[in-house]
């Protein structure tokens, strides 16, 4: 599947009648296709327009009406760079010069992701940090570091409260969108308090925990705070044990899981009788939702996590882009504003599987959701934050030439005389040694959807990484994201910007006569213009 793409990209060379050996293509290709980049004037003009934009940049020092928090689960900086190249190559370009939606955000900071007990953190403790503003212990959600994982009786009195919850208390509408189950750690810290991230339904709680009064995450989803929009996977934790799944009616492993025999979907639907609430589990019903008349929407599209984007059934399940769009359309009807959490939750899962294509295609879709949100919102009233909970031990390197396919080989053989892919993992299931020798991938299809890149150390599942992740921000008070910060700072900036608890001494509302609505200049446009000017010289 890579072959036609490669030939297509080399078409100009072929038309030129150039006969070349495969190894020389890349070099000549960059000479032909990046001719303009050899000229200092190109780079000078490009940097000049970037500089002009930087000089014009002014902090928006007023209150944010809306907040959107995008979390790429496991989206370390190396993942962002590789996803950027992939996005460009999917458009038929070399890739490196691509500008992602998140790349256009004017303010960036680094986030230190360690938790109270771990140098390399998990998604539960980190979610507690960025949602609730307090660092915590691994496996726990919505609880301070005083809570001990799996010890139910350390829950009570140690609850910490999310920005989502504080936004609701201020009269804003709130929503969560994720590609995992909606009870998964990252969204869970927005509404639940649990010493175990894996207590999805009551069937997952040990009886001692149940007796001590601990409550499963699915129940907390519909009882702790009224969440207006809930979109993702996780149907089976919501229905009584034995309930057939509507999409997989013959599957035993996907039946409802609840021992208390409650139907939590009904609980949520009936919680606000005066509002127009809808539940959907299918793309068709989802598309038919009238956002003008719908106040509350729950969409659960799979029994557990949603499928990876590359395996998504597009007639059955909406994408993260479509879910984000629908959420904003419903939430933005509230004149007091909204808080929306959007998680690209399966970037992390692709990496754990050691399959970079799964992770990177998820990251590309995640960025497209950011792009869609940017089109639907205004920088003048919406603070948008994009960050990750933690990184992964994912790298790409190896002296690859410009435009090298992101899933392709490094140009030279390794010391063992065998080729190696640019993308490698430090650990994970991709460790395959035969008689003490690294696998020979010469005849392997390393462009396959499920190709597992090689790893240095054998592990069932590849692990998280411990280095800092980036925070990208735009909108009111976004300039507070700069420098190297602790991860829990994210929640504090969001709360401060929107004047939520505990902040009362916070930014003033914007002037009522704001005519400077949408001053968001996409850098794609700038680059496009530079290109045009350059080529018309
Ligand atoms: C909490 O529960 C554990 C067992 O799960 C027990 O050992 C401990 O004594 C309990 N602590 C309190 C304060 O009840
Ligand atoms: C996708 O879903 C549709 C409608 O539910 C179904 O008919 C079709 O077989 C599915 N396609 C695949 C590839 O599973
Ligand atoms: C790797 O496999 C290729 C193709 O099967 C073969 O030509 C080459 O000799 C192998 N390299 C080593 C070092 O075994
Ligand atoms: C590994 O080595 C053993 C013993 O030398 C040999 O019988 C076997 O064929 C080798 N396996 C592979 C896959 O090369
Ligand atoms: Zn993970």
């Amino acid at each position: 599947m890579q072959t036609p793409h490669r030939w297509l990209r080399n078409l100009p060379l072929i038309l030129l009648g150039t006969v070349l050996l495969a190894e020389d293509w890349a070099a000549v290709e960059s000479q032909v296709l990046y001719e303009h980049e050899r000229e200092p004037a190109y780079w000078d003009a490009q940097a000049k327009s970037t500089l002009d934009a930087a000089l014009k940049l002014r902090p928006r020092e007023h209150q944010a009406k809306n907040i959107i928090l995008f979390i790429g689960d496991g989206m370390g900086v190396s993942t962002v760079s590789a996803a950027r190249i992939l996005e460009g190559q999917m458009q038929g370009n070399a890739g490196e010069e691509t500008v992602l939606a998140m790349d256009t955000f004017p303010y960036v900071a680094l986030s230190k992701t360690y938790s109270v007990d771990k140098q390399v953190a998990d998604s539960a403790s980190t979610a507690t940090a960025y949602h609730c503003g307090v660092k915590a212990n691994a496996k726990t959600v919505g609880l301070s570091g005083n809570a001990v994982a799996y010890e139910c009786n350390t829950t009570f009195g140690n609850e910490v409260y999310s920005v989502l919850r504080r936004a609701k208390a201020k009269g804003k509408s709130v929503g969560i969108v994720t590609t995992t189950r909606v009870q998964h750690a990252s969204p869970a810290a927005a509404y639940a308090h649990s010493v175990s991230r894996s207590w999805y339904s009551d069937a997952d709680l040990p009886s001692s925990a149940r007796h001590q009064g601990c409550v499963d995450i699915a129940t907390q989803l519909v009882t702790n705070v009224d969440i207006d929009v809930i979109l993702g996977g996780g149907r089976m934790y919501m229905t009584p044990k034995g309930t057939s799944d509507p999409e997989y009616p013959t599957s035993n492993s996907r039946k409802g899981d609840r021992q208390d025999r409650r139907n939590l979907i009904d609980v949520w639907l009936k919680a606000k009788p005066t509002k127009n609430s809808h539940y959907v589990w299918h793309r068709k019903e989802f598309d038919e939702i009238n956002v003008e008349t719908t106040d509350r929407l729950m969409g659960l599209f799979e029994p557990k996590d949603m499928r990876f984007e590359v395996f998504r059934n597009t007639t059955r399940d909406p994408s993260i882009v479509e879910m984000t769009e629908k959420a904003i359309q419903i939430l933005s009807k509230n004149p007091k504003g909204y808080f929306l959490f959007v998680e690209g939750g399966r970037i992390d899962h692709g990496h754990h599987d050691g399959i970079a294509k799964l992770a990177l295609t998820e990251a590309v879709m995640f960025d497209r959701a950011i792009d869609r949100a940017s089109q639907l919102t205004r920088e003048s009233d919406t603070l948008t934050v994009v960050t990750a909970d933690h990184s992964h031990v994912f790298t790409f390197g190896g002296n690859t030439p410009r435009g090298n396919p992101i899933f392709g080989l490094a140009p030279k053989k390794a010391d063992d005389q065998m080729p190696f892919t640019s993308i490698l993992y430090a650990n994970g299931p991709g460790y395959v040694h035969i008689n003490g020798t690294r696998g020979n991938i010469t005849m392997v299809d390393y462009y396959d959807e499920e190709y597992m890149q090689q790893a240095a150390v054998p592990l069932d599942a590849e692990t998280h990484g411990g280095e800092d992740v980036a925070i990208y921000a735009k909108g009111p008070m976004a300039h507070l994201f700069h420098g190297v910060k602790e991860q829990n700072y994210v929640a504090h900036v969001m709360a401060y910007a929107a004047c939520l608890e505990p902040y009362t001494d916070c930014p003033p509302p914007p002037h009522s006569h704001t005519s400077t609505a949408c001053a968001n200049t996409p850098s794609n446009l700038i680059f496009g213009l530079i290109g045009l000017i350059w080529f018309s010289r």
Side-chain angles (χ1 to χ4, degrees):
M1 81 167 257
Q2 184 57 26
T3 317
H5 177 63
R6 212 182 150 82
W7 277 97
L8 259 175
R9 286 202 294 112
N10 286 304
L11 210 57
L13 299 179
I14 296 154
L15 291 180
L16 285 169
T18 324
V19 181
L20 290 160
L21 295 174
E23 300 91 83
D24 297 331
W25 281 0
V28 172
E29 197 174 65
S30 50
Q31 275 173 30
V32 175
L33 297 181
Y34 314 112
E35 188 74 21
H36 56 289
E37 290 186 11
R38 296 169 66 183
E39 298 303 326
Y42 167 79
W43 295 108
D44 288 343
Q46 187 267 358
K48 175 73 164 56
S49 82
T50 308
L51 182 63
D52 287 345
L55 288 167
K56 284 199 195 94
L57 184 64
R58 295 286 176 274
R60 296 171 187 271
E61 295 185 284
H62 59 81
Q63 220 176 90
K65 178 183 174 194
N66 313 310
I67 299 173
I68 307 181
L69 173 60
F70 281 97
I71 292 288
D73 197 315
M75 191 185 69
V77 171
S78 55
T79 297
V80 175
S81 306
R84 175 192 298 140
I85 294 172
L86 174 60
E87 170 72 299
Q89 293 184 344
M90 286 164 81
Q91 312 298 328
N93 302 319
E96 301 83 4
E97 67 295 327
T98 304
V99 181
L100 290 173
M102 65 182 106
D103 291 338
T104 67
F105 284 35
Y107 299 100
V108 175
L110 287 182
S111 166
K112 297 163 68 182
T113 64
Y114 70 92
S115 67
V116 170
D117 61 340
K118 302 273 186 184
Q119 186 174 70
V120 179
D122 77 334
S123 292
S125 58
T126 51
T128 305
Y130 62 71
H131 274 303
C132 307
V134 169
K135 287 211 182 195
N137 289 320
K139 310 294 178 195
T140 68
V141 290
L143 297 169
S144 75
N146 284 320
V148 181
Y150 307 117
E151 295 213 359
C152 169
N153 59 10
T154 65
T155 306
F156 312 105
N158 291 324
E159 294 90 347
V160 288
Y161 295 92
S162 68
V163 170
L164 177 146
R165 200 127 156 191
R166 296 177 230 169
K168 188 76 195 195
K170 259 293 189 82
K172 295 186 189 293
S173 292
V174 299
I176 55 170
V177 169
T178 179
T179 49
T180 64
R181 58 202 85 177
V182 296
Q183 304 85 357
H184 207 257
S186 315
Y191 59 80
H193 314 279
S194 179
V195 288
S196 171
R197 57 180 285 177
S198 47
W199 290 351
Y200 299 125
S201 89
D202 63 342
D204 299 317
L205 265 74
S207 58
S208 61
R210 243 176 291 158
H211 288 134
Q212 287 176 355
C214 276
V215 178
D216 63 280
I217 294 170
T219 298
Q220 295 192 51
L221 170 69
V222 299
T223 54
N224 281 359
V225 49
D226 173 34
I227 306 178
D228 304 277
V229 175
I230 300 172
L231 298 172
R235 283 194 294 259
M236 64 180 279
Y237 311 110
M238 307 294 279
T239 54
K241 198 164 188 65
T243 309
S244 298
D245 187 84
E247 190 172 346
Y248 310 98
T250 57
S251 168
N252 277 326
S253 59
R254 293 164 167 123
K255 284 190 185 331
D257 190 39
R258 301 202 60 80
Q259 290 184 348
D260 63 9
R261 311 211 59 81
R262 290 177 89 187
N263 184 321
L264 298 180
I265 296 164
D266 285 344
V267 171
W268 181 86
L269 280 170
K270 288 173 185 153
K272 297 283 157 185
T274 60
K275 292 198 173 168
N276 187 6
S277 306
H278 290 285
Y279 168 71
V280 298
W281 62 269
H282 192 289
R283 167 77 183 262
K284 190 169 174 290
E285 305 165 340
F286 174 82
D287 287 346
E288 284 165 6
I289 287 291
N290 181 344
V291 295
E292 295 307 324
T293 57
T294 301
D295 305 313
R296 295 164 85 242
L297 175 64
M298 179 187 280
L300 303 177
F301 302 102
E302 288 291 331
K304 294 182 179 175
D305 296 332
M306 292 184 72
R307 296 176 187 212
F308 283 114
E309 176 59 27
V310 292
F311 303 130
R312 182 167 64 91
N313 183 331
T314 53
T315 63
R316 236 180 219 174
D317 296 336
S319 70
I320 187 174
V321 180
E322 291 147 358
M323 292 194 291
T324 302
E325 175 182 79
K326 193 82 85 190
I328 292 173
Q329 287 167 341
I330 292 172
L331 297 174
S332 60
K333 292 186 297 175
N334 186 338
K336 291 183 175 168
Y338 61 89
F339 171 89
L340 173 63
F341 172 73
V342 180
E343 185 196 23
R346 305 210 65 200
I347 302 167
D348 179 68
H349 296 173
H351 279 327
H352 280 308
D353 290 347
I355 302 175
K357 200 167 211 170
L358 295 182
L360 296 186
T361 47
E362 292 296 302
V364 164
M365 280 305 272
F366 178 63
D367 188 70
R368 291 184 189 167
I370 297 167
D371 193 35
R372 190 75 193 104
S374 297
Q375 292 161 7
L376 295 169
T377 57
R378 287 174 308 180
E379 224 174 312
S380 58
D381 65 8
T382 305
L383 169 64
T384 306
V385 181
V386 178
T387 186
D389 46 1
H390 54 73
S391 186
H392 271 270
V393 294
F394 162 91
T395 65
F396 71 103
N399 272 320
T400 45
R402 188 68 190 278
N404 201 60
I406 189 63
F407 300 111
L409 298 177
K412 289 197 173 141
K413 291 199 165 88
D415 290 354
D416 55 14
Q417 305 311 314
M418 290 189 288
F420 64 102
T421 53
S422 167
I423 292 177
L424 294 167
Y425 288 96
N427 63 42
Y431 176 97
V432 182
H433 282 208
I434 299 148
N435 282 349
T437 307
R438 184 170 72 91
N440 183 351
I441 58 167
T442 307
M443 304 302 284
V444 172
D445 180 11
Y446 36 82
Y447 292 109
D448 189 81
E449 247 82 48
E450 296 186 88
Y451 173 70
M452 208 179 268
Q453 281 79 10
Q454 293 185 327
V457 168
L459 280 183
D460 255 15
E462 179 265 9
T463 71
H464 296 171
E467 80 276 13
D468 300 350
V469 296
I471 305 171
Y472 310 80
K474 67 174 177 181
M477 307 314 286
H479 56 285
L480 297 180
F481 289 109
H482 63 89
V484 181
K485 301 289 189 277
E486 296 290 357
Q487 187 165 46
N488 61 308
Y489 178 68
V490 171
H492 287 260
V493 173
M494 294 191 300
Y496 178 77
C499 247
L500 306 176
E501 267 193 62
Y503 297 103
T504 47
D505 188 14
C506 50
H511 300 298
S512 48
H513 55 84
T514 36
S515 52
T516 53
C518 190
N520 186 13
T521 330
S523 359
N524 310 37
L525 192 71
I526 301 172
F527 285 128
L529 281 174
I530 296 166
L532 224 96
I533 293 160
W534 173 253
F535 282 115
S536 58
R537 272 157 51 112

